């Protein structure tokens, strides 16, 4: 019996002509036989979910340290929310939902313990050796550091998934080869030497919806977590006209609603308005561009999936509110200082005594490496830590560990 593999599995329904097509993927760095039951992008998504890097996200900080409470978002729950929004956007625009979901699920793999605080601290420690960038670290994880398969290091993801991981936020360099937001991280340049991800162009529409889904998710859930923590109050939300209007609407319809339900009603409306705004903008831009392939999306002069000018201003106002009221709150800054101290202390300790990285598979070879190569391995080890593991490692090596609460 002949099986039509295009009809098997989910994610193989009708797509727009400009959608990324898993059946004509540019393939993998290491060729593999296809699957009878899953598309190539489904396989990528499944590989991402089964990694140790994905599981570690459950104990990595989003904004609030895990010891503060069980109901705050972690890097994992944030990632799941991003994936849900990305998939909704992909379905509305008739592009490949599995690719969009896969890019969303992998986009934060390279984050360090303690959120952006850990990243800033590790970047400072690695400055003499090329610095640290969480996006480049994500690429290192899925192409090198995950050690699961017999035939290759990493996950051997398709070109489209790797492209989406690296440039979901837009081109990284100009056509002339200059970095758009500063120098392109060396790990990305090195990988492109062997598997060109065309970093001077936009990524697929699937990757673009994953990127804007990230903004929608954290703009919303950071407000929710901020209200739960007490750093934000409903009165503070009145500073953003978009939020103030939604609050009036909820009060008019539900005048006696309890605070927790009131907050959720605001959040769900915020997500809906932002998602609908992105869909509207994308439909307008697609109607003008009239792309006939995914390549036309990549070659465009501007992204397709983005906020309107009005929603972009709302996005700016929300970010300002979060930055002022939460991210730079004195209590948060005190915790951030302690977290940075832990990362810097561990980096120096492991550089001085690599054998202290007890579970790192390169420990036995560290003595043979140059200082720069040793620093990069220490960076890999630290970036892979969860918050809890980093605290335990510091407690083992030092007499005093900062209290992160």
């Amino acid at each position: 019996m002949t099986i039509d593999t295009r009809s098997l599995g989910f994610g193989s329904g009708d797509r727009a002509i400009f959608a990324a097509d898993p059946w004509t993927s540019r393939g993998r760095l290491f060729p593999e036989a296809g699957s009878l039951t899953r598309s190539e992008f489904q396989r990528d998504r499944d590989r991402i979910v089964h990694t140790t890097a994905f599981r570690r996200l459950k104990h990595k900080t989003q904004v609030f340290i895990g010891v503060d409470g069980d109901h705050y978002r972690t890097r994992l729950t944030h990632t799941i929310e991003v994936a849900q929004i990305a998939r909704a956007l992909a379905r509305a625009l008739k592009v490949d939902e599995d690719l969009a979901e896969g890019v969303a699920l992998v986009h934060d793999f390279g984050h360090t313990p303690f959120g952006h605080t850990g990243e800033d601290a590790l970047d400072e420690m690695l400055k003499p050796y090329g610095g640290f960038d969480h996006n480049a670290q994500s690429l290192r994880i899925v192409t090198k550091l995950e050690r699961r398969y017999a035939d290759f290091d990493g996950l051997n993801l398709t070109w489209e998934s790797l492209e989406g991981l690296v440039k979901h936020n837009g081109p990284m360099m100009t056509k002339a080869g200059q970095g758009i937001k500063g120098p392109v991280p060396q790990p990305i340049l090195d990988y492109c030497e062997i598997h060109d991800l065309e970093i001077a162009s936009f990524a697929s529409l699937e990757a673009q919806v994953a990127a804007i889904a990230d903004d929608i998710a954290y703009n919303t859930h950071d407000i929710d977590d901020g209200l739960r923590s007490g750093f934000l109050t409903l009165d503070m939300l009145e500073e953003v006209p978009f939020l103030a209007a939604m609050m009036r609407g909820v009060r008019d319809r539900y005048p006696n609603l309890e605070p927790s339900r009131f907050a959720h009603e605001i959040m769900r409306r915020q997500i809906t308005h932002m998602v609908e705004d992105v869909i509207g903008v994308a439909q307008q831009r697609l109607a003008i561009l009239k792309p006939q392939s995914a390549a036309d999306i990549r070659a465009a002069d501007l992204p397709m999936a983005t906020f309107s000018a009005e929603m972009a201003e709302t996005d700016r106002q929300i970010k300002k509110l979060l930055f002022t009221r939460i991210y730079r709150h004195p209590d948060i800054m005190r915790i951030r200082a302690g977290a940075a101290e832990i990362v810097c202390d561990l980096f120096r300790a492991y550089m001085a005594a690599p054998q202290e990285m007890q579970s790192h598979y390169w420990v036995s070879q560290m003595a043979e490496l140059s200082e720069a190569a040793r620093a990069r391995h220490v960076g890999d080890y630290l970036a892979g830590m969860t918050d809890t593991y980093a605290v335990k490692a510091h407690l083992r090596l030092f007499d005093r560990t900062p209290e992160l609460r």
Side-chain angles (χ1 to χ4, degrees):
M1 179 178 66
T2 301
I3 298 176
D4 179 6
T5 56
R6 293 176 66 97
S7 69
L8 292 174
F10 293 102
S12 58
D14 291 339
R15 293 181 181 80
I17 194 172
F18 47 79
D21 186 354
W23 311 108
T24 58
S25 167
R26 297 197 195 185
R28 306 174 188 276
L29 182 61
F30 301 98
E32 298 182 54
S35 167
L36 288 178
T37 58
R38 294 175 296 164
S39 76
E40 293 305 312
F41 300 153
Q42 284 177 290
R43 295 175 74 193
D44 282 356
R45 180 212 45 216
D46 296 348
R47 290 182 181 190
I48 289 163
V49 168
H50 287 285
T51 58
T52 54
F54 185 75
R55 293 193 293 277
R56 285 173 183 156
L57 295 176
K58 70 176 181 177
H59 291 304
K60 290 194 176 188
T61 294
Q62 178 62 25
V63 174
F64 296 96
I65 301 291
V67 296
D68 289 335
D70 293 336
H71 293 167
Y72 293 113
R73 270 73 173 186
T74 64
R75 192 64 64 173
L76 178 61
T77 55
H78 161 72
T79 294
I80 293 170
E81 292 183 31
V82 174
Q84 177 266 313
I85 295 170
R87 191 153 196 134
L89 288 167
R91 182 170 298 183
L93 297 172
K94 294 186 179 299
V95 294
D96 193 281
E97 296 177 36
D98 299 311
L99 177 57
E101 183 181 21
V103 173
L105 290 171
V106 80
H107 84 283
D108 269 355
F109 267 25
H111 269 290
T112 63
F114 312 123
H116 289 286
T117 298
E119 179 175 6
D120 293 343
L122 190 52
D123 180 49
E124 186 63 30
M125 291 293 97
L126 284 169
K127 272 287 192 324
Y129 315 102
F132 179 85
D133 175 86
H134 78 263
N135 204 37
Q137 190 67 16
S138 295
L139 181 66
R140 281 177 61 78
I141 289 169
V142 300
T143 60
K144 185 180 180 68
L145 300 180
E146 279 283 332
R147 296 163 58 83
R148 305 179 60 82
Y149 297 92
D151 293 327
F152 46 78
D153 289 336
L155 306 183
N156 199 32
L157 300 179
T158 60
W159 184 92
E160 291 81 3
S161 290
L162 293 174
E163 176 213 30
L165 183 161
V166 165
K167 55 180 182 174
H168 55 273
N169 287 320
M172 303 192 70
M173 65 167 50
T174 65
K175 302 295 184 185
Q178 295 178 316
I180 292 176
K181 296 180 180 179
V184 177
Q186 194 61 44
I188 294 177
L189 294 175
D190 290 344
Y191 186 80
C192 286
E193 286 291 318
I194 59 171
H195 198 195
D196 187 9
L197 299 178
E198 300 177 2
I199 59 176
S201 69
F202 281 98
S204 65
L205 186 50
E206 289 84 354
Q208 292 182 34
V209 301
I212 199 70
D214 186 25
D215 278 5
I216 294 171
Y218 76 71
N219 274 345
T220 306
H221 65 49
D222 284 5
I223 291 176
D224 191 26
D225 284 350
L227 290 170
R228 178 174 288 108
S229 71
F231 288 115
L232 281 181
T233 66
L234 292 174
D235 287 344
M236 293 175 187
L237 301 191
E238 300 277 0
E239 298 172 17
V240 179
F242 171 79
L243 298 176
M246 284 192 297
M247 291 168 68
R248 287 194 299 271
V250 174
R251 287 193 181 106
D252 288 345
R253 184 169 181 178
Y254 307 104
N256 299 311
L257 199 60
E258 63 187 87
S260 61
R261 292 178 190 263
F262 184 84
H264 179 67
E265 287 295 329
I266 297 169
M267 298 306 102
R268 63 194 292 258
R269 284 164 170 74
Q270 180 181 342
I271 292 174
T272 298
H273 281 294
M274 287 186 159
V275 166
E276 290 175 350
D277 181 82
V278 171
I279 292 170
V281 171
Q283 289 175 334
Q284 291 173 2
R285 293 189 176 187
L286 289 166
I288 294 170
L289 182 65
K290 295 180 173 61
Q292 297 302 300
S293 67
D296 290 345
I297 299 289
R298 296 185 176 98
D301 294 328
L302 74 172
M304 297 294 106
T306 189
F307 290 133
S308 65
E310 296 79 11
M311 191 60 77
E313 173 58 21
T314 292
D315 175 65
R316 186 194 67 77
Q317 293 171 0
I318 291 173
K319 285 181 168 62
K320 180 180 178 182
L321 173 71
L322 294 170
F323 192 91
T324 303
R325 299 293 189 175
I326 301 178
Y327 307 152
R328 285 294 180 265
H329 189 281
D331 289 348
I332 297 292
M333 293 302 293
R334 176 182 54 77
I335 293 170
R336 289 188 61 177
E341 182 182 343
I342 289 173
V343 172
C344 293
D345 284 348
L346 289 175
F347 182 88
R348 297 186 189 99
Y350 293 144
M351 285 295 287
Q355 68 275 11
E356 296 295 345
M357 296 187 292
Q358 297 173 330
S359 60
H360 191 42
Y361 66 93
W362 272 90
V363 166
S364 62
Q365 304 174 43
M366 293 288 273
E368 304 169 11
L369 300 178
S370 67
E371 182 177 326
R374 188 165 70 251
R376 186 56 56 187
H377 281 295
V378 171
D380 289 340
Y381 186 63
L382 277 171
M385 288 183 175
T386 62
D387 296 6
T388 49
Y389 190 92
V391 170
K392 288 178 182 177
H394 197 277
L395 285 167
R396 185 175 64 84
L397 294 175
F398 295 91
D399 293 334
R400 182 189 175 280
T401 296
E403 185 74 25
L404 302 181
R405 60 184 315 159

